[in-house]
C-alpha cells in the first residue's frame, strides 16, 4: 500500500499536511465570503472586485519573479549553510521590494492613462495591498526547509481575522472597497509575522546591509526562467478574467469568477502534494515513491471529478443559491480541465524539475501560453469571446501542457 510504513513525523509528511491545511485555508476562507459578497454586492460589483484581484495577480507574479520555485530549490539545497541561506534571504527580499516599487509605478501610470482604471482607481490601489503582503511572506523559505507548519498557523489566524470583519462591515455594494482592504490587511499581517518567525525561530539574519547589487542581480538572473514560466501560466489562468473584463465587462467576470473560485478550491486540494514533494524530490530523486503518489492522486482525481461534474448544478446552487446557468456550465468545463491539470502539475516541477529538466517544464508552459494567446486572439477577432468559449480554450490549453510534459517525462526520465 502507498501509505504503508509512512512516518507521520517525517519532514515530507509534516510539510505535506501543513500545506494541505494552508491551501485549504487559502481557498476555503474566501469561499466562506464569496457567496455572501455575490449576494450583497451584486454581480457587477462582485465582478469588479474579481477583475481588480485578477489584475493584482500580475503584480504578485512580477514580485515573486520565480522565487516561489527557485527559492525553494536554493534553500533546500543549502539549508545547512546558514551564511549562504541568510544572504540569499535578504537578497531575495530586497529584489522583491524593488520589483514591488516598479509594479506600483506601473499601476499608477495605467490608472492615470486609462479612464476605465481611473474611474475605479481606489479598488485597484487598495487591492495592491495584497501584493505587498506576498512580498513580505517568505513562503519559499519555509517550504525549502520543510517547515510549512509555521506559515500555516500564521495564515489561518490572520485570514480568520481578515474575513470576520467583512460580514460585519460590508452590508451593501457601497462598502465594496472594504473587501480588498480587509484581504490586503490580512496579507500584510501574515508577511510581517512570517518575517519575525524566520528571524527569531530560525535565526535568519535580517541585516539588509548584507545584501549586494551583484547578489541581487544573480538571484534575479537565476530565477528569471521560473519567472517566465509563471508569466506564461498566468496567460491561461489569471488572464481569462482580465480579458473578459476588458471585452465583456464586470458582469461577465462576475459569472466566470463565481465558477472559477469554486473550481480553484477543488484543484487546490492537490497543490500541497506538489509543493511538498518538490523539495523532497530535489534531494532524493526517489522515482519509486513519486510513481506511487502519482498513481494514488490520479485515482482519486478520476473518481471524484466526474462526480463533481454530474452534481455541478447542485454544488453551485448550494453555495451561491440563485446563479446563472452560464456559471454552472463554466464550472463543468473547468472541472474537465481539472482532470488534465492534476497529472500535468505533478509531472512538472516535482518530477521534471527535480530531475534537472526545469527548462523543459518551463518550455511546455511557454508553448502552451502562446497557444492560449493565439486562441484568445482568434476568438476576439471573430467576435466569439464569451465566458463559455474562454473556458473551453482553457481545457484545450491544458491538453497541450499535459501532452508536452508527458513526452518529456518519457524521453528524458523513463526511457
Amino acid at each position: 500500500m502507498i501509505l504503508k510504513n509512512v512516518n507521520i513525523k517525517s519532514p515530507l509528511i509534516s510539510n505535506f499536511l501543513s500545506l494541505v491545511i494552508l491551501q485549504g485555508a487559502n481557498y476555503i476562507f474566501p469561499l466562506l465570503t464569496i457567496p455572501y459578497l455575490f449576494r450583497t454586492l451584486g454581480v457587477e460589483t462582485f465582478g469588479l472586485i474579481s477583475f481588480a484581484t485578477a489584475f493584482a495577480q500580475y503584480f504578485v507574479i512580477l514580485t515573486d519573479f520565480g522565487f516561489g520555485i527557485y527559492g525553494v530549490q536554493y534553500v533546500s539545497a543549502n539549508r545547512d549553510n546558514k551564511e549562504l541561506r541568510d544572504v540569499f534571504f535578504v537578497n531575495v527580499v530586497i529584489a522583491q521590494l524593488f520589483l514591488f516599487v516598479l509594479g506600483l509605478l506601473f499601476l499608477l501610470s495605467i490608472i492615470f492613462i486609462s479612464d476605465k482604471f481611473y474611474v475605479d482607481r481606489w479598488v485597484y490601489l487598495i487591492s495592491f495591498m495584497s501584493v505587498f503582503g506576498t512580498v513580505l511572506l517568505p513562503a519559499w523559505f519555509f517550504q525549502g526547509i520543510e517547515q510549512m507548519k509555521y506559515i500555516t498557523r500564521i495564515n489561518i489566524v490572520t485570514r480568520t481575522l481578515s474575513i470576520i470583519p467583512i460580514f460585519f462591515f460590508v452590508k451593501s455594494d457601497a462598502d465594496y472597497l472594504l473587501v480588498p482592504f480587509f484581504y490586503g490587511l490580512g496579507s500584510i499581517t501574515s508577511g510581517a509575522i512570517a518575517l519575525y518567525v524566520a528571524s527569531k525561530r530560525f535565526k535568519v539574519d535580517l541585516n539588509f546591509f548584507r545584501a549586494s547589487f551583484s547578489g541581487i542581480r544573480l538571484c534575479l538572473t537565476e530565477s528569471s526562467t521560473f519567472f517566465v514560466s509563471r508569466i506564461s501560466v498566468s496567460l491561461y489562468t489569471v488572464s481569462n478574467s482580465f480579458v473578459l473584463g476588458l471585452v465583456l465587462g464586470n458582469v461577465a467576470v462576475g459569472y466566470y469568477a463565481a465558477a472559477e473560485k469554486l473550481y480553484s478550491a477543488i484543484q487546490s486540494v492537490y497543490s500541497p502534494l506538489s509543493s511538498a514533494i518538490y523539495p523532497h524530490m530535489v534531494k532524493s530523486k526517489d522515482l519509486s515513491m513519486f510513481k506511487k503518489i502519482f498513481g494514488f492522486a490520479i485515482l482519486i482525481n478520476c473518481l471524484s471529478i466526474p462526480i463533481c461534474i454530474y452534481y455541478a448544478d447542485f454544488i453551485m446552487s448550494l453555495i451561491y443559491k440563485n446563479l446563472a446557468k452560464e456559471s454552472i456550465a463554466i464550472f463543468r468545463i473547468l472541472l474537465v480541465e481539472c482532470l488534465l491539470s492534476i497529472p500535468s502539475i505533478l509531472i512538472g516541477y516535482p518530477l521534471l524539475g527535480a530531475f534537472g529538466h526545469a527548462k523543459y517544464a518551463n518550455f511546455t508552459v511557454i508553448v502552451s501560453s502562446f497557444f492560449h494567446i493565439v486562441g484568445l486572439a482568434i476568438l476576439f477577432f471573430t467576435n466569439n469571446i464569451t465566458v463559455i468559449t474562454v473556458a473551453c480554450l482553457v481545457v484545450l490549453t491544458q491538453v497541450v501542457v499535459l501532452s508536452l510534459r508527458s513526452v518529456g517525462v518519457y524521453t528524458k526520465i523513463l526511457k
Side-chain angles (χ1 to χ4, degrees), residues 12-45:
L12 174 61
I13 300 302
S14 175
N15 205 38
F16 169 67
L17 293 176
S18 296
L19 283 163
V20 167
I21 298 171
L22 175 62
Q23 197 71 8
N26 285 341
Y27 285 95
I28 291 174
F29 282 169
L31 278 180
L32 296 176
T33 59
I34 286 171
Y36 175 78
L37 293 175
F38 194 84
R39 295 191 300 269
T40 305
L41 300 179
V43 135
E44 185 170 2
T45 306

Side-chain angles (χ1 to χ4, degrees), residues 71-90:
V72 174
Q73 180 178 302
Y74 186 92
V75 172
S76 179
N78 298 282
R79 69 174 67 184
D80 297 324
N81 190 323
K82 187 178 185 303
E83 178 66 19
L84 284 178
R85 186 194 70 180
D86 290 2
V87 171
F88 178 80
F89 192 104
V90 295

